[in-house]
Amino acid sequence: MDFKLEVVPIPVTDVDKAKTFYEQAGFGADVDVQITDEMRLVQLTPPGSGCSIHLLTGTPGPPP
């Protein structure tokens, strides 16, 4: 069985600031969706990679 890392979730306090940082680093934005008033998800993928990151706000758990 092959195991592959496809997504790394990253909780953030400011999605727009984090998105800008990763886009300036060369990541491409794949998805940007406002799920609820408090929850937003942005998926970015570096060029040529099979693994993306999810920038998240409004998720339960410890603060980012």
Side-chain angles (χ1 to χ4, degrees):
M1 178 184 297
D2 289 336
F3 290 96
K4 296 180 182 178
L5 182 62
E6 294 184 10
V7 166
V8 177
I10 302 173
V12 297
T13 55
D14 187 333
V15 173
D16 290 318
K17 186 175 179 180
K19 181 180 178 186
T20 298
F21 171 82
Y22 282 103
E23 286 178 326
Q24 290 175 347
F27 285 59
D30 305 317
V31 175
D32 187 341
V33 62
Q34 187 76 39
I35 299 167
T36 67
D37 288 342
E38 299 84 26
M39 186 179 284
R40 181 173 168 199
L41 176 131
V42 175
Q43 177 175 308
L44 299 116
T45 305
S49 178
C51 183
S52 300
I53 61 171
H54 282 177
L55 305 176
L56 304 158
T57 59
T59 58

